[in-house]
């Protein structure tokens, strides 16, 4: 017998669960892509996207996933031979660096490993050492989805200012937009990238790049910019097609409109608080299991350095892979694979991003506990009541 029938739950860090309202919004015939409802709807997106990132500045939408937004940012920020200073806290930081390198940008990497946040003092020292001023931009990841490490973005700005360096600050918020608190202007960020399929509850395919006027001015002569990736017309299109450099991503835009309405109805601070509470349920549960088995542990020891949309944890090799297999085939919950951790089959990730609520996360945790029992994996007691207590206290 399997207990997996019923509505499956994809608890991986993107694509996330799509709300029925978002799915329903896409059930329509192809619209006119020159004028009319689609063009009118698009005009309503810009103020909401600015508010989402906490900026009064520019935003461009690319028909792309997260990797596409890295290239979009690189193409606008850099000229061939410019230098990027990349601060990595997991696989995705390295991914942005590889993208920049492949485009002809010289990359200086500071690798903070996979369990600790960026140390702003090392950023400041690297910028002070750049006496020729070759570093055009600092690229950092808010939460690296592979490790679930969160870094303190205002502290990065403060380190750049303390060094007196003109480098722009660009931040990957693909895992955090609409999940963790983020305030682009207040935190002094010049460029922010995000994608549609995580906290924004929309199918993969829309990539967002927010950029300051300062970033636009500093990079006006960047020679990596090509027509498709140029952020200029996308932020200030004279004609509707120029927002997209061609055909609009029609149905994605209806989906995004609905998702932004849902976030607006809930209120962004409430959405942040929900993610914070659900993250805590996962943290206390894994801590409790780990108390009975040293192989089980959260990846990030410092609570302040844990992202609120995804949790990476060690369950031991190959028990993490066995547990993932069990929860999917026996109970209908798909957990995230270990990414960038060694050995990969000793790690897993639980996503709690976007359209999630207490019953979904508590359900996923209960299924994980059932799997630990079914597979005979030793674990400490009290995980589920600890998680329930978090919900009782936060609700
Ligand atoms: C998911 C993710 C990416 C990659 O996005 P894709 O849409 O898979 O290309 C990059 N960075 C972070 C932080 C992510 O969470």
């Amino acid at each position: 017998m399997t207990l997996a029938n019923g509505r499956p739950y994809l608890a991986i860090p993107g694509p996330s669960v799509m709300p029925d309202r978002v799915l329903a919004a896409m059930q329509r015939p192809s619209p006119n892509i020159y004028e009319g409802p689609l063009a009118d709807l698009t005009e309503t997106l810009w103020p909401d996207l600015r508010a989402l990132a906490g900026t009064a500045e520019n935003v461009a939408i690319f028909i792309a996933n997260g990797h596409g937004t890295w290239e979009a940012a690189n193409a606008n920020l850099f000229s061939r031979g410019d230098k990027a200073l990349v601060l990595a806290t997991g696989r995705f930081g390295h991914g942005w660096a590889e993208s920049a390198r492949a485009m002809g940008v010289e990359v200086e990497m500071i690798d903070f490993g996979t369990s600790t946040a960026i140390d702003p003092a090392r950023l400041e020292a690297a910028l002070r050492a750049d006496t020729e001023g070759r570093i055009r931009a600092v690229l950092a990841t808010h939460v690296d989805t592979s490790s679930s490490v969160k870094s303190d973005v205002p502290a990065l700005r403060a380190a750049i200012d303390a060094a007196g360096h003109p480098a722009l600050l660009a931040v990957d918020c693909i895992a955090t937009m609409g999940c963790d608190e983020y305030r682009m202007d207040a935190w002094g960020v010049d460029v922010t990238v995000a994608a549609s399929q995580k906290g924004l509850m929309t199918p993969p395919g829309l990539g967002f790049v927010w950029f300051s006027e300062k970033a636009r001015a500093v990079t006006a002569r960047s020679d990596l910019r090509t027509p498709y990736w140029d952020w200029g017309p996308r932020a200030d299109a004279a004609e509707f097609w120029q927002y997209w450099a061609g055909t609009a991503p029609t149905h994605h835009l209806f989906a995004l409109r609905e998702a932004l309405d849902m976030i607006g109805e809930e209120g962004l601070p409430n959405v942040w608080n929900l993610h914070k509470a659900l993250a805590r349920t996962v943290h206390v549960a894994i801590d409790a299991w780990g108390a009975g088995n040293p192989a089980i542990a959260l990846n990030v020891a410092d609570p302040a350095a844990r992202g609120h949309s995804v949790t990476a944890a060690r369950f031991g090799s190959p028990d993490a892979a066995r547990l993932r297999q069990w929860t999917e085939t026996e109970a209908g919950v798909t957990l995230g694979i270990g990414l960038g951790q060694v050995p990969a089959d000793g790690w897993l990730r639980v996503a709690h991003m976007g359209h999630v609520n207490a019953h979904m996360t508590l359900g996923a945790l209960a299924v994980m506990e059932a799997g630990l029992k079914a597979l005979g994996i030793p674990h400490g007691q009290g995980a589920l009541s600890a998680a329930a207590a978090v919900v009782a206290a936060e609700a």
Side-chain angles (χ1 to χ4, degrees):
M1 189 186 73
T2 167
L3 298 176
N5 291 330
R7 178 171 274 221
Y9 176 23
L10 188 68
I12 69 173
S16 64
V17 171
M18 283 188 281
D20 290 342
R21 277 176 63 178
V22 169
L23 290 167
M26 291 186 284
Q27 295 289 336
R28 62 178 76 221
S30 286
N32 183 336
I33 57 160
Y34 304 104
E35 60 187 3
L38 184 71
D40 296 343
L41 173 147
T42 299
E43 294 308 321
T44 71
L45 297 173
W46 308 120
D48 291 357
L49 288 171
R50 286 192 189 92
L52 183 70
T55 182
E57 304 227 41
N58 306 290
V59 55
I61 305 179
F62 295 86
I63 301 176
N65 60 15
H67 283 68
T69 66
W70 287 338
E71 288 205 25
N74 296 340
N76 286 283
L77 281 169
F78 299 110
S79 291
R80 280 173 192 77
D82 274 355
K83 203 161 159 183
L85 177 59
V86 183
L87 313 174
T89 53
R91 184 68 212 108
F92 289 101
H94 289 277
W96 200 354
E98 285 155 16
S99 162
R101 223 179 265 122
M103 293 170 79
V105 176
E106 189 184 323
V107 170
E108 178 177 336
M109 161 72 67
I110 311 181
D111 188 346
F112 294 91
T114 58
S115 309
T116 52
I118 295 166
D119 175 0
R122 289 184 63 192
L123 166 60
E124 184 180 334
L127 291 174
R128 285 187 187 281
D130 179 38
T131 49
E132 290 170 35
R134 292 200 46 231
I135 296 171
R136 164 76 67 196
V138 174
L139 312 183
T141 311
H142 188 203
V143 169
D144 196 301
T145 321
S146 66
S147 61
S148 61
V149 171
K150 176 154 71 184
S151 290
D152 179 349
V153 175
L156 305 185
R157 175 81 263 165
I160 296 170
D161 291 348
H165 197 287
L168 297 166
L169 176 59
V171 180
D172 174 346
C173 291
I174 297 170
T176 47
M177 191 59 69
C179 303
D180 292 64
E181 180 177 1
Y182 187 74
R183 303 180 188 274
M184 177 168 163
D185 290 356
W187 293 359
V189 178
D190 298 293
V191 174
T192 301
V193 303
S196 52
Q197 79 274 20
K198 301 197 181 180
L200 303 184
M201 308 177 284
T202 296
L206 297 181
F208 308 94
V209 181
W210 292 262
F211 59 100
S212 65
E213 272 309 304
K214 178 181 147 204
R216 194 204 307 249
V218 168
T219 63
R221 288 179 211 291
S222 290
D223 70 10
L224 287 177
R225 194 179 281 120
T226 54
Y228 187 81
W229 296 109
D230 187 353
W231 59 24
R234 290 179 183 262
D236 299 305
E239 295 175 40
F240 184 64
W241 69 270
Q242 291 174 312
Y243 283 130
W244 321 107
T247 303
T250 53
H251 288 64
H252 279 75
L253 297 175
F254 292 110
L256 178 65
R257 178 65 270 161
E258 196 67 28
L260 292 174
D261 284 346
M262 291 177 70
I263 291 171
E265 288 161 21
E266 177 133 13
L268 192 54
N270 294 326
V271 173
W272 292 337
N273 284 335
L274 168 106
H275 283 84
K276 189 174 175 187
L278 295 184
R280 184 121 183 85
T281 67
V282 176
H283 300 161
V284 298
I286 293 175
D287 277 345
W289 290 326
N293 179 353
I296 300 178
L298 291 167
N299 179 43
V300 184
D302 175 6
R306 294 176 190 157
H308 294 165
S309 59
V310 58
T311 299
R314 171 164 58 72
F315 276 77
S317 167
D319 284 343
R322 290 171 70 221
L323 181 60
R324 272 196 310 102
Q325 178 76 23
W326 191 93
T327 62
E328 181 166 48
T329 57
E330 302 301 325
V333 174
T334 303
L335 300 170
I337 60 170
L339 197 62
Q341 307 277 17
V342 183
D345 67 357
W347 293 78
L348 57 74
R349 291 172 301 156
V350 186
H352 26 92
M353 57 170 54
H355 191 56
V356 283
N357 60 19
H359 95 72
M360 295 162 79
T361 302
L362 292 181
L365 293 170
V367 159
M368 290 172 74
E369 176 144 323
L372 293 171
K373 291 188 195 316
L375 296 170
I377 300 171
H379 57 280
Q381 302 305 306
L384 299 180
S385 49
V390 170
V391 170
E394 298 285 341

